[in-house]
Amino acid sequence: MKSRNLVKLFLSTLLVGGLSTVIIGFLIKWSEYKVLFLELNMSEILSVTLWLLGVGFIFSVISQMGFFAYLTVHRFGLGIFKGLWNPVQILLIAFVLFDLVYFRYQWFADKGDGLLSYFAFPVFILLYSLIVAYIKSKETNKQAFIPALFFMIVVTSIEWVPALRANEESWLYLMLFPILVCNSYQLLLLHRLISKADK
């Protein structure tokens, strides 16, 4: 891929991360921020927007580091495991989804908390990732489904670790959704940029 396309991917993903974090940040704490809009407190609105934008840029950079790390790992995986790479990825997907339930429950559950509530995030990530992986495989080929699913679940979960460790609800949402958006964007844009470069 040409360096111009790499720069385009970086800058556009940065923008996607920033804007999605601004939108999600206001939505998550709308009960607090709606007063600013009702009072038309533009300086506070601008201050919060710039802060969320900066945080979103950080999330975007984390997402891009994860994306390019995965591209490298994927090549190594194909070289080392060859035809077994897809089953290995499926096993790792199952392991990560299990960990998102089990370890969060072990570390953060209060007395009386049910295990069922800890399934919400993993189930959402799985369903969202299935949709993105399906779109990727439809736009490229069937072999892209498992790698796309692996990236969307495993890499997203690794990138989400800072919020998982804090276990503060607003941060869990604020970090997860922009990272999912950035990861989806990169995954679905990459083959278009490569195809454009080939032409």
Side-chain angles (χ1 to χ4, degrees), residues 171-183:
W171 274 103
L172 287 169
Y173 288 108
L174 186 65
M175 190 171 192
L176 176 62
F177 290 116
I179 282 179
L180 280 173
V181 170
C182 288
N183 284 348

Side-chain angles (χ1 to χ4, degrees), residues 51-147:
W51 183 81
L52 287 170
L53 194 65
V55 170
F57 288 160
I58 293 168
F59 292 163
S60 172
V61 170
I62 291 169
S63 168
Q64 293 186 63
M65 286 167 59
F67 183 61
F68 285 102
Y70 171 68
L71 293 177
T72 305
V73 168
H74 182 64
R75 284 289 144 205
F76 276 120
L78 286 171
I80 295 167
F81 296 103
K82 305 199 184 296
L84 292 174
W85 179 227
N86 275 352
V88 168
Q89 288 181 99
I90 292 168
L91 189 66
L92 289 170
I93 288 167
F95 181 74
V96 166
L97 289 172
F98 172 80
D99 284 354
L100 282 176
V101 177
Y102 181 75
F103 285 114
R104 283 194 69 233
Y105 179 76
Q106 288 293 314
W107 293 337
F108 302 115
D110 295 320
K111 277 190 177 181
D113 278 359
L115 183 63
L116 200 60
S117 62
Y118 287 85
F119 276 87
F121 280 122
V123 169
F124 171 75
I125 292 169
L126 174 62
L127 293 175
Y128 181 88
S129 301
L130 284 167
I131 293 166
V132 174
Y134 173 76
I135 294 168
K136 178 73 174 180
S137 65
K138 288 289 283 184
E139 292 185 357
T140 54
N141 55 67
K142 289 178 182 177
Q143 286 72 36
F145 183 82
I146 297 299

Side-chain angles (χ1 to χ4, degrees), residues 153-183:
I153 294 173
V154 176
V155 178
T156 296
S157 299
I158 292 168
E159 293 165 350
W160 194 35
V161 163
L164 286 171
R165 291 181 68 180
N167 198 45
E168 205 278 310
E169 189 176 10
S170 60
W171 274 103
L172 287 169
Y173 288 108
L174 186 65
M175 190 171 192
L176 176 62
F177 290 116
I179 282 179
L180 280 173
V181 170
C182 288
N183 284 348

Side-chain angles (χ1 to χ4, degrees), residues 2-75:
K2 291 180 181 177
S3 57
R4 183 178 61 187
N5 287 336
L6 279 173
V7 172
K8 182 180 177 181
L9 180 64
F10 173 77
L11 293 177
S12 60
T13 307
L14 201 66
L15 189 61
V16 166
L19 293 177
S20 62
T21 306
V22 169
I23 294 165
I24 290 157
F26 277 114
L27 288 175
I28 289 169
K29 295 203 171 181
W30 180 244
S31 57
E32 294 176 28
Y33 294 140
K34 69 179 177 183
V35 178
L36 301 178
F37 287 91
L38 291 171
E39 294 175 354
L40 292 175
N41 190 338
M42 297 310 293
S43 62
E44 281 294 317
I45 292 170
L46 184 62
S47 173
V48 172
T49 301
L50 289 174
W51 183 81
L52 287 170
L53 194 65
V55 170
F57 288 160
I58 293 168
F59 292 163
S60 172
V61 170
I62 291 169
S63 168
Q64 293 186 63
M65 286 167 59
F67 183 61
F68 285 102
Y70 171 68
L71 293 177
T72 305
V73 168
H74 182 64
R75 284 289 144 205

